[in-house]
Amino acid sequence: MHQKTEYQPVFTGDQRRKLDEILTRYPNKQAALLPALWMVQDTHGWISQAAMAEVAEVLDLTAAHVEGVATFYTMFHKHPVGEHFIQVCTTSPCNVCGAEDVVAAFLQHTGCDELGATSPDGKFTVLEVECLGACGFATPVLIDDDFIDGVTPDMVPELVARYR
Ligand code: FES
């Protein structure tokens, strides 16, 4: 069950000062949209409609513009995800090398019911993604910002334990 909580603004205090410092590196504040969205995701773990509205306000953009950019890039989460975000390449070259079995092992060992769902302990979300640019090293996996290649199903329990 999803509990409705009041939105906590990101761009106050130190975070506002950090954004102001970032803005000095851009020709205008609208150009700082991507770093602003990263700050939101770093703070809340995902980017809600309320967060998009806040970003629009601080950067003098329309909410539709912010939403258009946030939804274009798959690395921005538009719904809550687990503390650790696991991305497994299942594009054809990795698929023929057993990527589906790696995905199944991650789902089993994290306790995630299905792709895109968050585990009951809130720790993990598992997603299949397109080519991670390491086709010769199946199966490549991204856990948060950590790139791990050559993952096989028998490596998964240790990997999950490391991040749990
Ligand atoms: S197809 Fe999997 S990394 Fe390229």
Side-chain angles (χ1 to χ4, degrees), residues 69-125:
V69 172
T71 54
F72 176 79
Y73 291 106
T74 56
M75 73 268 198
F76 292 128
H77 309 310
K78 270 70 69 180
H79 54 80
V81 295
E83 198 178 310
H84 300 292
F85 192 63
I86 300 172
Q87 302 176 71
V88 183
C89 172
T90 54
T91 303
S92 305
C94 290
N95 214 326
V96 297
C97 293
E100 294 290 349
D101 294 337
V102 174
V103 170
F106 272 114
L107 289 175
Q108 181 194 338
H109 290 280
T110 56
C112 292
D113 280 343
E114 58 185 332
L115 291 169
T118 297
S119 56
D121 61 4
K123 290 275 183 186
F124 299 102
T125 300

Side-chain angles (χ1 to χ4, degrees), residues 88-95 99 129-140 147:
V88 183
C89 172
T90 54
T91 303
S92 305
C94 290
N95 214 326
V129 293
E130 297 301 324
C131 183
L132 288 172
C135 318
F137 304 95
T139 294
F147 182 80

